[in-house]
């Protein structure tokens, strides 16, 4: 059994990893001509944008739901239920992100682009798993 | 009585979430040339189609939705699992909503020069999914297993 201090420490580490993920690239695809599409929590950057493509603004704001779950994790240090809500919610959000990553990788390969997973996504997944372990432990301690 | 109501709500929530994956999450209509009829670009939980053509690499949002729905269903036995399942479903719905919002606004802004009459909007699937989240949390509230 994990004691409460260890469980709280796991949640804290999960929050720190998640917060780090918010400022690092999640994934990117490089195409010919030096064009690169870099997806982050707070927007998508197109390096060496070719002319007017794409004309629309790529600002997914994927960070919004993750910021909410991270806030719940912080609240989970005092309220066990908030920790569970934050960790489970973040796992759900990561599930959607995983579906997007697999899809984007498929499109990149099809268009002969070079797809790469960024450290942001690695930190996000790690943070979610660590926070989940902490949240389950906190919930068990709470009875 | 509370137990029965909780079970009914959890089953309804899981069923609605699973059913939502079969409905359109977003529907984009565009005419690629003047005078041509509009073609629909439709995303569901299991496929993305542009007219009659299927995107072979379309995102499979149905997978995380079904996993979260399964957790909600397991919550019939344990309230804490029901709560975690409802939270997971909310996380899925939240991230999917943000993604769809981006796809819709990008389509509207990016393709307006191609077809000024283009249409873009959420499909019924996302609303059914959000409804499933509300049902799941409602079930947690009345769940007797504390």
């Amino acid at each position: 059994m994990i004691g409460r201090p260890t469980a709280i420490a796991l949640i804290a580490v999960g929050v720190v990893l998640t917060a780090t993920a918010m400022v690092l690239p999640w994934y990117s695809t490089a195409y010919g001509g030096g064009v690169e599409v870099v997806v982050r929590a707070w927007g998508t950057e197109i390096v060496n944008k070719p002319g007017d493509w794409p004309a629309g603004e790529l600002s997914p704001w994927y960070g919004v739901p993750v910021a909410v779950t991270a806030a719940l994790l912080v609240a989970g240090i005092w309220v066990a239920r908030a920790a569970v809500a934050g960790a489970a919610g973040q796992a759900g959000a990561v599930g959607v992100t995983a579906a997007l990553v697999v899809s984007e990788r498929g499109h990149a390969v099809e268009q002969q682009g070079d797809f790469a997973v960024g450290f942001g996504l690695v930190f996000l997944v790690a943070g979610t798993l660590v926070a989940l372990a902490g949240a389950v432990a906190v919930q068990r301690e709470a009875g | 009585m509370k137990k029965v109501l909780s079970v009914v709500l959890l089953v309804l929530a899981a069923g609605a979430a699973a059913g939502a994956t079969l409905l359109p999450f977003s529907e984009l209509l565009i005419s690629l040339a003047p005078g041509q009829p509009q073609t629909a670009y439709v995303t569901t939980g299991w496929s993305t189609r542009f007219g009659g053509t299927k995107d072979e690499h379309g995102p499979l949002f149905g997978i995380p939705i079904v996993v979260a729905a399964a957790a909600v269903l397991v919550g019939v036995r344990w309230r804490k699992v029901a709560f975690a399942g409802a939270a997971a479903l909310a996380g899925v719905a939240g991230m999917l909503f943000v993604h769809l919002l981006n796809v819709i606004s990008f389509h509207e802004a990016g393709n307006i020069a191609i077809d000024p009459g283009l249409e873009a909007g959420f499909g019924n699937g996302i609303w059914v999914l959000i409804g499933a989240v509300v049902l799941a949390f409602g079930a947690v509230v009345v769940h007797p297993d504390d």
Side-chain angles (χ1 to χ4, degrees):
Chain A
M1 283 289 285
I2 299 175
R4 181 172 167 78
T6 309
I8 295 297
L10 284 172
I11 291 174
V13 169
V15 170
V16 170
L17 289 170
T18 301
T20 309
M22 301 287 255
V23 295
L24 295 173
W26 286 13
Y27 54 90
S28 65
T29 308
Y31 297 98
V35 179
E36 188 174 11
V37 181
V38 184
V39 177
R40 298 170 184 268
W42 303 110
T44 298
E45 181 189 5
I46 301 171
V47 182
N48 295 322
K49 188 173 175 176
D52 289 334
W53 178 90
E57 188 65 31
L58 284 163
S59 296
W61 294 81
Y62 294 126
V64 173
V66 179
V68 172
T69 58
L72 283 169
L73 284 172
V74 172
I77 293 171
W78 299 278
V79 184
R81 193 164 289 183
V84 174
Q90 195 161 307
V94 167
V96 170
T97 308
L100 278 171
V101 166
V102 171
S103 169
E104 290 304 315
R105 186 183 178 280
H107 287 137
V109 169
E110 191 176 73
Q111 294 164 30
Q112 297 179 330
D114 189 10
F115 183 86
V117 168
F119 279 111
L121 202 57
V122 175
F123 276 63
L124 181 63
V125 171
T128 304
L129 292 176
V130 172
L132 202 53
V136 170
V138 160
Q139 182 68 64
R140 280 187 175 175
E141 281 291 314
Chain B
M1 184 59 192
K2 277 187 171 182
K3 177 71 180 171
V4 174
L5 182 58
S6 169
V7 169
V8 168
L9 288 175
L10 285 171
V11 170
L12 276 176
T21 66
L22 303 171
L23 299 171
F25 286 133
S26 63
E27 295 170 297
L28 319 175
L29 296 169
I30 186 168
S31 174
L32 296 174
Q36 277 195 356
Q38 287 187 314
T39 306
Y41 187 85
V42 179
T43 296
T44 72
W46 306 107
S47 72
T48 297
R49 290 182 175 277
F50 186 70
T53 309
K54 183 183 178 185
D55 178 355
E56 292 300 325
H57 304 292
L60 297 176
F61 297 124
I63 294 174
I65 293 172
V66 165
V67 170
V72 167
L73 213 49
V74 174
V76 166
R77 176 65 184 84
W78 298 284
R79 187 176 192 270
K80 286 169 185 168
V81 177
F83 180 69
L89 202 55
V92 169
M95 188 59 107
L96 183 56
F97 188 86
V98 168
H99 170 70
L100 295 173
L101 204 56
N102 174 60
V103 169
I104 291 166
S105 62
F106 177 68
H107 176 72
E108 285 176 335
N111 296 326
I112 196 76
I114 299 170
D115 177 14
L118 65 81
E119 293 173 52
F122 290 105
N124 288 333
I126 190 68
W127 307 124
V128 173
L129 184 61
I130 290 170
V133 172
V134 173
L135 284 175
F137 277 113
V140 172
V141 171
V142 297
H143 203 302
D145 175 28
D146 256 325

